[in-house]
Amino acid sequence: MDRAHIRNFCIVAHIDHGKSTLADRILELTRAVDPRLMRAQVLDSMELERERGITIKAQAVRVLFGARDGQRYQLHLIDTPGHVDFTYEVSRSLAACEGALLVVDASQGVEAQTVANTYLAIEAGLELIPCLNKVDLPGAEPERVAGEVAELIGEPAEGILRISAKTGEGVEEVLEQLIARVPPPGGDDQAPPRALIFDSQFDQYRGVIAYIRVVDGAFAKGEEIRAMAAHTHAEIDDIGVFSPQMTPTAQLAAGEVGYLITGIKDVTQLRVGDTLTTRARARTSASTSASARAGAPTSATEPLPGYREVKPMVFCGLFPIDSDRYPDLREALEKLTLNDAALSWEPETSDALGFGFRCGFLGLLHMDIVRERLEREYDLELLATMPSVGFHITLTSGEQLEVHNPSDMPDPGTIAEIREPHITAQIIAPRQFVGAVMELCQERRGEHRAMHYLSPERVQLTYELPLAEIVLDFFDQLKSRTRGYASLDYELGDSKPSDLVKLDVLLAGDPVDALSMVVHREKAYDVGRALTERLRKRIPRQQYDVPIQAAIGSHIIARETVKAYRKDVIAKCYGGDITRKRKLLEKQKEGKKRMKQIGRLEVPQEAFLAVLELGEE
């Protein structure tokens, strides 16, 4: 199709503002899906997405639309996630588009991810088309929300589209605006072929499926391609578009979005962000490539700008409950990394849990989703350790270290300084909850930076907070203190010095590395006390007393004891002399002392989960 009739756009919004519902209506309006097969969230193909009602993976689809000007247009739509943990998915999707639909809930108004996604789209140079969704709801306030959106993007409030993705009201006007305002894709049909891999997935039978945006030239089935960063050479087995099922085509030309399959099974050979080009060699007359027909050079030399390397913010250990399944976990992580470029991992060993992997995530929801996908899609049973963040440590010798695992912390006597990562948090909440939000941020060692009224009723607060203070339960606390009305977005800032200590947990005198954590010195006693109390309830009673201690170095700051069973050995001693009873109890005590010296404590899985529940009370 002529590039002037192609439009590439994505839908961005805060979580639960109606992106996937709008995508459904667009597919219905353009008749891309058989009405008999239509269902809610048709692009959310993952079972986990449908259960939770959230988009986890960006999904691409091509539809054809007959506009009022009598022309037929080819629209490439990418539906993106809305949660802050999946911002990396959004940023990659923006690189494949020229325009973005900014969807705002007409009852909720501008929220934190609305602001963040707007800035992402502006930085990427996209044409932004704002829409107020859910105008059919009784609680909708389109005039107020239009004012908030107008202030955010600097457009007049009257020009902002009012739609209802649920009923389909105004959706056709959205597509007309897209065609009028979003520019057609650039590129050069005669230049050497170049395509950007903006996403990918792994298929058990077909290997790596690369989602590509063709920038220059054209790619056709049977051609040999080269990945410029990975230096991978392969032949195109299949090429096509999503409509929304995978539909093979003869070729993909400049400006088009689609998929490419080479049969490569090694997930490291085709990475997200890599540039594909055709191999430089003499071509046969059977080649259908536009660049070959034009006699242009057959291989590009300059790669496309890829993506900034994503930095994991939260780390935790994943261990198979059955240690024999360690190789299966490694294979599952390799395949999932292709599907989720933000996931990082490296092997680690724990005295308590055996062999596993230290994984890096973008946030707690990301961690939860990855763990659940590993268990569901690869049939694994996993145990996750306490989430932590990365610390920068300067030793007294001047050496610099980066530590992601509390058990790797060096001896306290050798540490000159510990720096922890801080974030800049944007919190948007109704005016009446400002006090509750400020109190929560102060409790979490936050520093107030700015306060801005988006409207007479809604306030945007900017705080600088240590990342370690928000990874466990900050978001839950924020929602509960504001009755669910607050929204949070954050970005990673610099590392700053802090008075941190490593808190060890000793069971029967032996340290358990999987229960160690790094906490601020002021909070160490409270955390230690809460943790020992929880562990006492989780660890089963033995034939001897089991002390549970929380320690900073050699200093014990909290202790609980799991009391021993007392055998009913004196039942037959009643009616006789007291010395008989005492003699039996002394004998039992001696036996338990010997047992204590040679006994080994079995710690149940529930004990490791006790750490994660510290923030619930």
Side-chain angles (χ1 to χ4, degrees), residues 197 208 210 219 223-236 260-272 274-280 299 338:
I197 304 176
V208 178
F219 290 83
E223 285 187 325
E224 284 197 48
I225 58 165
R226 176 169 62 93
M228 298 180 80
H231 305 294
T232 305
H233 296 272
E235 189 175 292
I236 300 175
L260 179 148
I261 301 173
T262 58
I264 290 174
K265 293 290 175 74
D266 182 355
V267 297
T268 61
Q269 293 188 7
L270 280 181
R271 288 286 188 191
V272 169
D274 206 344
T275 301
L276 295 180
T277 184
T278 47
R279 285 188 67 180
S299 183
L338 181 81

Side-chain angles (χ1 to χ4, degrees), residues 41-271:
Q41 291 176 261
V42 70
L43 290 182
D44 290 346
S45 54
M46 213 185 298
E47 184 186 347
L48 201 54
E49 292 179 310
R50 305 188 64 77
E51 273 183 24
R52 295 192 177 212
I54 59 173
T55 302
I56 295 167
K57 282 286 294 173
Q59 298 290 339
V61 63
R62 182 176 85 167
V63 297
L64 297 172
F65 176 63
R68 290 177 194 149
D69 61 7
Q71 300 293 324
R72 197 164 176 78
Y73 289 87
Q74 184 174 292
L75 309 178
H76 293 129
L77 152 69
I78 302 178
D79 181 24
T80 63
H83 194 279
V84 61
D85 282 10
F86 302 109
T87 302
Y88 188 55
E89 288 277 325
V90 179
S91 67
R92 296 208 318 265
S93 303
L94 294 173
C97 301
E98 283 78 39
L101 280 180
L102 178 68
V103 179
V104 183
D105 188 325
S107 55
Q108 298 282 348
V110 169
E111 299 202 56
Q113 273 304 104
T114 314
V115 178
N117 287 333
T118 301
Y119 291 153
L120 277 177
I122 291 170
E123 283 171 19
L126 270 59
E127 177 66 36
L128 208 59
I129 301 176
C131 311
L132 296 188
N133 190 20
K134 307 187 186 181
V135 293
D136 58 317
L137 290 182
E141 299 177 78
E143 299 309 318
R144 174 184 67 82
V145 176
E148 291 181 9
V149 176
E151 188 175 334
L152 174 66
I153 63 174
E155 284 190 16
E158 301 75 39
I160 296 171
L161 300 171
R162 269 80 160 168
I163 66 167
S164 170
K166 188 175 182 180
T167 64
E169 177 191 340
V171 175
E172 189 170 350
E173 182 58 34
V174 169
L175 296 183
E176 292 288 349
Q177 287 286 327
L178 271 168
I179 289 164
R181 294 172 58 180
V182 175
D188 185 352
D189 290 326
Q190 310 305 322
R194 289 193 303 172
L196 180 69
I197 304 176
F198 69 89
D199 208 347
S200 55
Q201 69 181 72
F202 185 84
D203 184 276
Q204 187 175 350
Y205 304 104
R206 308 185 76 180
V208 178
I209 301 173
Y211 293 28
I212 61 169
R213 158 70 194 273
V214 182
V215 177
D216 293 320
F219 290 83
K221 186 175 178 178
E223 285 187 325
E224 284 197 48
I225 58 165
R226 176 169 62 93
M228 298 180 80
H231 305 294
T232 305
H233 296 272
E235 189 175 292
I236 300 175
D237 289 344
D238 194 11
I239 193 167
V241 297
F242 299 96
S243 60
Q245 285 76 32
M246 290 166 63
T247 308
T249 58
Q251 70 171 31
L252 285 178
E256 293 190 306
V257 175
Y259 69 87
L260 179 148
I261 301 173
T262 58
I264 290 174
K265 293 290 175 74
D266 182 355
V267 297
T268 61
Q269 293 188 7
L270 280 181
R271 288 286 188 191

Side-chain angles (χ1 to χ4, degrees), residues 471-523:
V471 294
L472 261 188
D473 66 328
F474 182 83
F475 190 64
D476 294 341
Q477 287 285 333
L478 181 66
K479 285 290 185 185
S480 66
R481 295 192 191 196
T482 60
R483 299 182 202 160
Y485 284 110
S487 60
L488 168 72
D489 178 64
Y490 57 83
E491 58 182 46
L492 195 60
D494 298 327
S495 293
K496 295 189 175 183
S498 191
D499 187 12
L500 301 173
V501 291
K502 179 187 173 189
L503 184 68
D504 285 313
V505 174
L506 289 77
L507 298 180
D510 296 324
V512 181
D513 56 356
L515 293 174
S516 298
M517 65 179 78
V518 177
V519 295
H520 195 268
R521 192 180 295 275
E522 289 179 2
K523 296 188 172 186

Side-chain angles (χ1 to χ4, degrees), residues 254-365:
E256 293 190 306
V257 175
Y259 69 87
L260 179 148
I261 301 173
T262 58
I264 290 174
K265 293 290 175 74
D266 182 355
V267 297
T268 61
Q269 293 188 7
L270 280 181
R271 288 286 188 191
V272 169
D274 206 344
T275 301
L276 295 180
T277 184
T278 47
R279 285 188 67 180
R281 62 181 178 83
R283 293 178 181 264
T284 65
S285 58
S287 173
T288 56
S289 166
S291 58
R293 289 197 303 272
T298 58
S299 183
T301 55
E302 284 293 315
L304 296 161
Y307 306 105
R308 59 183 173 80
E309 196 66 33
V310 66
K311 288 189 72 173
M313 300 174 75
V314 178
F315 299 86
C316 93
L318 290 177
F319 295 84
I321 289 173
D322 178 2
S323 56
D324 292 341
R325 303 215 53 191
Y326 174 76
D328 296 340
L329 177 57
R330 175 188 285 275
E331 188 179 335
L333 281 167
E334 283 177 354
K335 291 175 180 175
L336 196 60
T337 307
L338 181 81
N339 203 257
D340 183 352
L343 171 66
S344 64
W345 49 275
E346 59 183 25
E348 83 162 335
T349 310
S350 163
D351 294 337
L353 302 175
F355 292 103
F357 294 93
R358 193 80 187 165
C359 301
F361 308 95
L362 297 184
L364 273 194
L365 178 67

Side-chain angles (χ1 to χ4, degrees), residues 292-604:
R293 289 197 303 272
T298 58
S299 183
T301 55
E302 284 293 315
L304 296 161
Y307 306 105
R308 59 183 173 80
E309 196 66 33
V310 66
K311 288 189 72 173
M313 300 174 75
V314 178
F315 299 86
C316 93
L318 290 177
F319 295 84
I321 289 173
D322 178 2
S323 56
D324 292 341
R325 303 215 53 191
Y326 174 76
D328 296 340
L329 177 57
R330 175 188 285 275
E331 188 179 335
L333 281 167
E334 283 177 354
K335 291 175 180 175
L336 196 60
T337 307
L338 181 81
N339 203 257
D340 183 352
L343 171 66
S344 64
W345 49 275
E346 59 183 25
E348 83 162 335
T349 310
S350 163
D351 294 337
L353 302 175
F355 292 103
F357 294 93
R358 193 80 187 165
C359 301
F361 308 95
L362 297 184
L364 273 194
L365 178 67
H366 186 212
M367 177 184 120
D368 191 30
I369 293 293
V370 166
R371 185 186 56 76
E372 201 158 339
R373 286 185 69 185
L374 286 169
E375 290 183 344
R376 287 191 185 199
E377 297 173 23
Y378 301 96
D379 195 27
L380 294 164
E381 283 189 82
L382 301 175
L383 187 65
T385 61
M386 169 80 170
S388 65
V389 301
F391 299 98
H392 297 275
I393 297 173
T394 305
L395 302 180
T396 49
S397 62
E399 186 184 349
Q400 303 274 344
L401 298 176
E402 186 171 350
V403 174
H404 299 147
N405 191 342
S407 60
D408 294 338
M409 289 284 282
D411 184 85
T414 65
I415 297 175
E417 183 184 66
I418 302 179
R419 295 187 309 283
E420 62 176 334
H422 280 61
I423 55 129
T424 302
Q426 306 279 351
I427 301 169
I428 297 178
R431 185 183 59 183
Q432 64 266 36
F433 298 117
V434 168
V437 172
M438 293 179 106
E439 184 184 9
L440 174 63
C441 293
Q442 298 293 346
E443 287 173 9
R444 301 306 176 93
R445 299 189 280 132
E447 291 183 23
H448 184 252
R449 285 285 176 262
M451 183 167 160
H452 172 60
Y453 275 81
L454 298 173
S455 71
E457 294 301 319
R458 291 169 68 78
V459 184
Q460 177 178 319
L461 292 160
T462 305
Y463 265 89
E464 194 173 278
L465 290 149
L467 178 59
E469 293 286 351
I470 73 159
V471 294
L472 261 188
D473 66 328
F474 182 83
F475 190 64
D476 294 341
Q477 287 285 333
L478 181 66
K479 285 290 185 185
S480 66
R481 295 192 191 196
T482 60
R483 299 182 202 160
Y485 284 110
S487 60
L488 168 72
D489 178 64
Y490 57 83
E491 58 182 46
L492 195 60
D494 298 327
S495 293
K496 295 189 175 183
S498 191
D499 187 12
L500 301 173
V501 291
K502 179 187 173 189
L503 184 68
D504 285 313
V505 174
L506 289 77
L507 298 180
D510 296 324
V512 181
D513 56 356
L515 293 174
S516 298
M517 65 179 78
V518 177
V519 295
H520 195 268
R521 192 180 295 275
E522 289 179 2
K523 296 188 172 186
Y525 175 78
D526 294 331
V527 173
R529 168 62 57 204
L531 185 54
T532 51
E533 284 178 6
R534 281 193 171 275
L535 287 171
R536 179 177 59 79
K537 296 172 185 173
R538 297 296 180 90
I539 292 175
R541 294 171 74 186
Q542 312 289 323
Q543 296 291 343
Y544 51 90
D545 284 357
V546 177
I548 303 167
Q549 298 163 306
I552 299 172
S554 59
H555 179 52
I556 306 295
I557 61 169
R559 172 180 170 137
E560 292 285 333
T561 305
V562 179
K563 300 304 289 181
Y565 283 121
R566 180 161 176 166
K567 283 185 180 176
D568 195 9
V569 294
I570 56 174
K572 60 184 182 291
C573 295
Y574 286 97
D577 187 23
I578 187 68
T579 54
R580 291 177 63 205
K581 188 194 292 187
R582 192 163 289 145
K583 187 176 175 184
L584 268 171
L585 289 173
E586 289 298 324
K587 188 176 179 183
Q588 180 184 340
K589 192 190 290 182
E590 287 298 316
K592 286 187 176 180
K593 192 181 289 182
R594 286 200 305 276
M595 187 186 294
K596 192 174 183 178
Q597 288 169 356
I598 61 171
R600 177 173 167 80
L601 182 66
E602 291 291 330
V603 181

